[in-house]
Amino acid sequence: MKKILLVLLVLAVSCTAFGQTDKAAEISAIDAYTKKIDAYVKRNKAPQLVFADTASQTSTRSKWRQFDSEKALDKFREKSETYEIAYCWKQSGRITEVSTTLFSGSGDWVNYVYHYFRADGSLAKVESDFRTFYGDLIVEQEMYFSAAGKQLKKATRYRDLKTKKFKKIDPKSDPVSLSKFDIYKTVKKLPFAHLLAPRTPKAKNK
């Protein structure tokens, strides 16, 4: 009986170790993939797609709109501010990175969120850089996901807004709750996904 239990224990430990190794390999592969996307974005600074939520800050419903370029969006914002902006980069016709900027009307905080998508449209990684004058704090978050949408890893770091040095945070202050943001597990779940469909030209009246 003891031998059987020992064998089962060894198998359980082996399976756990294998699972951890497999997860580490998947995370490493995601890092390599996102680095390639970052390099592509660095070479191609202008996003292929530009979107913004044009609803008023007090509105409970979003009103996403596509703009022809960053300049077109900037011109629109001269008259009417937008508090959530999304820039998209595509490779081989598919969206691989979405860079979103969210900020408050008072200007006391801003959150830069980066979604990295695989070729099949599934989310690979999310990075968030939340900056606020409340406590002069930067909250950095990284989350890794499998193709099935399972979270593989999450890391959170805190920095001083002025010095950019890492700092310890009192857990009671709960700064992460201030930096909450939506995570989109697939391209189809993006809030402006309905605008991604090819536009069909209007039929001309005969």
Side-chain angles (χ1 to χ4, degrees):
M1 184 67 179
K2 289 183 178 179
K3 289 184 178 180
I4 294 175
L5 290 174
L6 181 60
V7 170
L8 291 174
L9 179 62
V10 171
L11 287 173
V13 172
S14 298
C15 289
T16 301
F18 178 78
Q20 291 176 343
T21 302
D22 192 48
K23 182 185 291 186
E26 189 168 0
I27 290 171
S28 180
I30 290 173
D31 277 331
Y33 174 69
T34 55
K35 282 182 180 179
K36 289 182 179 179
I37 294 176
D38 284 337
Y40 175 82
V41 171
K42 190 174 182 179
R43 293 193 306 270
N44 303 270
K45 295 183 179 180
Q48 289 101 328
L49 298 172
V50 178
F51 300 93
D53 183 359
T54 60
S56 66
Q57 192 176 21
T58 57
S59 176
T60 57
R61 298 183 66 180
S62 60
K63 188 179 179 181
W64 284 90
R65 172 179 165 182
Q66 183 174 356
F67 292 84
D68 292 332
S69 64
E70 291 178 86
K71 287 185 178 180
L73 173 58
D74 290 340
K75 187 175 181 180
F76 176 86
R77 292 177 65 196
E78 290 176 2
K79 297 180 179 180
S80 180
E81 185 58 284
T82 58
Y83 299 99
E84 186 169 359
I85 299 167
Y87 299 127
C88 307
W89 280 265
K90 299 171 70 176
Q91 296 183 57
S92 301
R94 299 177 183 276
I95 290 178
T96 52
E97 182 178 332
V98 176
S99 172
T100 308
T101 304
L102 306 95
F103 54 93
S104 64
S106 59
D108 58 353
W109 64 264
V110 62
N111 198 1
Y112 304 101
V113 182
Y114 308 90
H115 282 72
Y116 296 88
F117 294 99
R118 299 180 179 85
D120 65 358
S122 65
L123 180 64
K125 185 180 180 182
V126 173
E127 294 179 2
S128 170
D129 183 335
F130 175 78
R131 303 182 178 221
T132 178
F133 290 120
Y134 176 72
D136 288 330
L137 184 67
I138 298 175
V139 182
E140 299 175 337
Q141 296 186 72
E142 286 183 329
M143 302 177 202
Y144 295 78
F145 296 87
S146 68
K150 181 182 178 181
Q151 184 172 295
L152 302 171
K153 178 183 176 181
K154 179 179 179 179
T156 304
R157 297 179 294 272
Y158 306 99
R159 295 179 187 267
D160 184 276
L161 184 62
K162 296 178 180 178
T163 66
K164 304 301 185 293
K165 292 182 179 180
F166 289 109
K167 62 186 297 185
K168 292 183 179 180
I169 296 297
D170 181 357
K172 294 181 181 179
S173 65
D174 193 22
V176 173
S177 65
L178 299 173
S179 62
K180 283 185 177 179
F181 57 92
D182 292 322
I183 297 174
Y184 305 105
K185 295 290 187 71
T186 66
V187 170
K188 290 182 179 180
K189 291 184 178 181
L190 288 166
F192 47 85
H194 60 288
L195 299 174
L196 295 173
R199 299 177 183 177
T200 54
K202 294 182 180 180
K204 294 182 180 180
N205 293 327
K206 294 183 179 180

